[in-house]
Amino acid sequence: MFGQLNTMLSSFLLISLVIYPVFSQAPPYDPSPFDITGTIDSLKLDSTSTNPLRGGSITVDGNVITVPTNLLATLPAITVAWPELFDNGVANLPGGVTWEAHVIGNRVGGSNIAGLVYISQKFAQSLQGFITSINIGTGHFTIGASNIDCVLNDPAGRFGLQQSGNELWTADPDNPSIHAVNGFPVCIPRSTTDSLCPAKNRPNDPATGRPVTTLTFKDPATLTPTDPDPRQMLPLAVGDYVTVSGTEISGTLWVNNLVANLAIFTAAGTKPAYVTCEEAIFGIVTTQPGEIGQSRAVAWTTDVGGGLMDWFALDVDPCTGQTTERTLNVAMQPNSATQPLGRAVYRTPVKTDLTPATRYVGFRMASGTTLGAGNLTAGEFIQPVFDYIFPEPLDFGAPLFPNAFEVIPYLALGGGPYTPGRPGFPAPASPAIVGQLNPWPGVPAPAATSCAPAPTTTIASSTTLTSVTSPTATVKPPVDTIVITSATGRNQRGATTLTVTATTTSKDPAIILSITAAGQNPVGLSPMTLVSPGSWSFVATVKSKPLTVTVTSSFGGGPVTANVA
């Protein structure tokens, strides 16, 4: 009986296999697009290359995606080359928790190839609550009923005490990413007498006896010594309602973005007036016969009179890296009675072509800029584009258009000389140019950019030196003068945060300042960070305080050496 049953089962299984075969076939069309947001399973760095711009791979929810050479990943506050995400070959994703990625690309020849990569610990993270305590000795503060421990991830010490957190996930050192709703920069006091975060900027409300939540500064030209001063930041206080996001490490949230529910304004038409960006969305226009997304943006200003702001794109020369501002000619929508004071909204008419798409856009007050609180450039805000809208088919069921990366110049042509975005990350020994993504995430690959070679010197014979230069003559810039304005080493939690600021007489956008440090744990040649034209800074975490620092420039300035305090 069991033999008959086995025979019957075998026959059934055989029939089932015949009726329900398993097929493996190529996709109906190639290339095809993908847009994936999910949990990072792994990050890998190409181990077969030493190219400082080499790629690797990222696996998101089981989807293995090739990361091309020359791809720069966008993090919450900075943009970095793929190798900058690794320490000794290990991905720098701290906290022991899951991390997330948003990857846009195309499937080409059976492989997923990325065109754009965004990484964050939690994209949707938004913690809110009242500040319940502030420790000015450590810079830590707590929020909410659960007293969540927070600290500003601020290696530059821009918004409070310098913190030796993870530099990859830093607060934005160049824009007010720690701010009131309408953009005024706020801070955690470093002491009770902190002149950069002065108590006078947060007077008490006579009616409540608590720090004010709304304030309009006077014209700086009319200030008395006791008046609140818009040229310095506004201190946060216990009882402020804040929205924060950041990186969770060992039970502490290292904050890279904070928005305080405060309405802080500057006098109409005066400087400084601060700007922040709420969103910037870029609609990609191509010849594909699909629906074109609307480009739009929302920005804020502290100017109590509203003021006009220009929305502009930053085009980058693929060989020199020089940026050119291009106004997008999108008018601010008129303020309405229901629109909050200081909010600027930009919306393009449908199918408006703002080509070419750029990595960064900016917003600037028509009244101009000035150096403001914390040495931030007041009056403008530079924002990476986090949202590109590619054309979508008008007919459901029709093949989806591949993502048109070829119309984004910084992907198709390149982005000029490479400078690490991660604070303290060493620059390559030999200059590198950010070129076209390779492999290219599409078919066919656009024509690559050919940059003129840098001047070189070669030996023609044992006795004759022949100088060979590029076809394009280069005018050598004048030698600049460097001044080291500060050099300090602060020990915290067993490590030292080295902070150096310097100025140069040259404001040429092509100049690069570099720094070395001497001591028990020396720092090799590393690039400094441009704060504003002529003003540079450097922050790094080292095991022990260096004795001296030395600064040089690519225009021949220096070397200039200073002791570390």
Side-chain angles (χ1 to χ4, degrees):
M1 179 176 176
F2 287 108
Q4 291 177 340
L5 180 59
N6 287 335
T7 301
M8 291 173 62
L9 289 172
S10 299
S11 300
F12 176 75
L13 291 172
L14 180 60
I15 293 171
S16 299
L17 290 172
V18 173
I19 295 175
Y20 300 107
V22 177
F23 292 102
S24 177
Q25 62 180 30
Y29 49 91
D30 185 51
S32 58
F34 68 84
D35 189 329
I36 298 172
T37 300
T39 301
I40 297 174
D41 299 324
S42 71
L43 294 181
K44 293 183 179 179
L45 181 64
D46 182 358
S47 60
T48 65
S49 171
T50 58
N51 185 342
L53 293 164
R54 64 193 181 278
S57 68
I58 180 171
T59 303
V60 182
D61 286 336
N63 295 279
V64 180
I65 304 166
T66 297
V67 175
T69 295
N70 294 316
L71 184 143
L72 302 184
T74 301
L75 311 185
I78 58 177
T79 300
V80 299
W82 199 249
E84 295 179 60
L85 291 167
F86 297 81
D87 290 328
N88 297 319
V90 178
N92 189 338
L93 302 179
V97 297
T98 58
W99 283 71
E100 298 175 347
H102 178 201
V103 186
I104 305 171
N106 287 316
R107 184 175 175 84
V108 182
S111 297
N112 294 323
I113 305 177
L116 299 165
V117 175
Y118 304 90
I119 297 177
S120 179
Q121 194 178 74
K122 297 176 183 178
F123 282 114
Q125 181 188 65
S126 181
L127 302 179
Q128 294 183 318
F130 294 102
I131 295 179
T132 54
S133 69
I134 296 176
N135 186 329
I136 61 175
T138 64
H140 284 242
F141 59 100
T142 57
I143 64 171
S146 300
N147 290 322
I148 300 170
D149 183 45
C150 302
V151 67
L152 301 181
N153 192 355
D154 185 11
R158 188 84 71 191
F159 305 97
L161 286 174
Q162 297 166 354
Q163 301 290 348
S164 55
N166 192 307
E167 286 76 16
L168 274 174
W169 316 104
T170 174
D172 191 333
D174 301 317
N175 291 290
S177 53
I178 312 297
H179 60 87
V181 172
N182 58 335
F184 196 96
V186 298
C187 52
I188 296 291
R190 302 164 183 83
S191 68
T192 56
T193 58
D194 187 354
S195 61
L196 301 178
C197 188
K200 71 176 182 179
N201 274 12
R202 197 71 190 276
N204 286 336
D205 185 338
T208 64
R210 297 179 54 80
V212 296
T213 57
T214 61
L215 176 68
T216 300
F217 288 94
K218 295 179 181 179
D219 183 339
T222 67
L223 295 181
T224 67
T226 59
D227 284 331
D229 188 344
R231 294 166 295 188
Q232 301 298 343
M233 296 188 186
L234 182 135
L236 291 167
V238 171
D240 288 342
Y241 193 85
V242 295
T243 301
V244 298
S245 58
T247 305
E248 182 184 345
I249 304 175
S250 302
T252 296
L253 185 68
W254 290 76
V255 175
N256 55 43
N257 186 269
L258 181 149
V259 180
N261 183 31
L262 304 172
I264 311 300
F265 295 96
T266 49
T270 64
K271 299 178 184 179
Y274 298 91
V275 176
T276 190
C277 175
E278 181 178 311
E279 69 172 6
I281 299 174
F282 211 110
I284 301 296
V285 177
T286 72
T287 57
Q288 296 164 326
E291 181 180 7
I292 303 300
Q294 182 190 55
S295 296
R296 56 190 185 273
V298 177
W300 294 81
T301 176
T302 61
D303 189 311
V304 74
L308 293 176
M309 274 191 287
D310 180 36
W311 181 22
F312 58 93
L314 289 168
D315 295 317
V316 178
D317 185 286
C319 293
T320 66
Q322 184 171 351
T323 58
T324 302
E325 294 182 5
R326 171 170 49 93
T327 182
L328 295 177
N329 292 315
V330 181
M332 287 172 51
Q333 294 188 351
N335 287 338
S336 66
T338 59
Q339 181 171 307
L341 180 62
R343 190 169 187 253
V345 179
Y346 305 82
R347 296 188 184 277
T348 61
V350 177
K351 296 185 179 181
T352 299
D353 189 354
L354 299 183
T355 301
T358 56
R359 187 187 298 277
Y360 296 102
V361 294
F363 302 85
R364 182 181 297 114
M365 297 294 297
S367 56
T369 64
T370 188
L371 195 63
N375 287 330
L376 296 168
T377 301
E380 75 174 13
F381 193 98
I382 306 299
Q383 168 82 6
V385 177
F386 287 100
D387 293 292
Y388 296 96
I389 303 178
F390 291 90
E392 299 177 354
L394 298 173
D395 300 318
F396 293 116
L400 299 175
F401 304 130
N403 291 313
F405 298 119
E406 66 274 8
V407 301
I408 303 180
Y410 69 84
L411 301 179
L413 303 178
Y418 162 60
T419 300
R422 177 179 173 178
F425 194 84
S430 300
I433 299 291
V434 181
Q436 181 185 100
L437 299 187
N438 182 25
W440 177 253
V443 176
T449 303
S450 178
C451 298
T456 59
T457 300
T458 60
I459 299 178
S461 68
S462 59
T463 58
T464 305
L465 289 178
T466 303
S467 179
V468 182
T469 60
S470 61
T472 303
T474 302
V475 178
K476 186 176 181 179
V479 175
D480 59 313
T481 300
I482 297 171
V483 175
I484 298 177
T485 53
S486 69
T488 60
R490 180 183 179 87
N491 185 276
Q492 289 180 301
R493 300 180 185 180
T496 297
T497 299
L498 173 65
T499 304
V500 181
T501 59
T503 61
T504 172
T505 52
S506 174
K507 297 184 178 181
D508 191 310
I511 193 172
I512 297 174
L513 262 61
S514 300
I515 186 171
T516 59
Q520 184 176 357
N521 299 106
V523 176
L525 188 66
S526 302
M528 298 187 72
T529 299
L530 178 65
V531 176
S532 61
S535 179
W536 295 74
S537 68
F538 176 80
V539 179
T541 301
V542 294
K543 292 183 179 180
S544 61
K545 186 171 77 172
L547 299 176
T548 61
V549 292
T550 301
V551 177
T552 57
S553 88
S554 58
F555 283 8
V560 176
T561 300
N563 294 326
V564 178

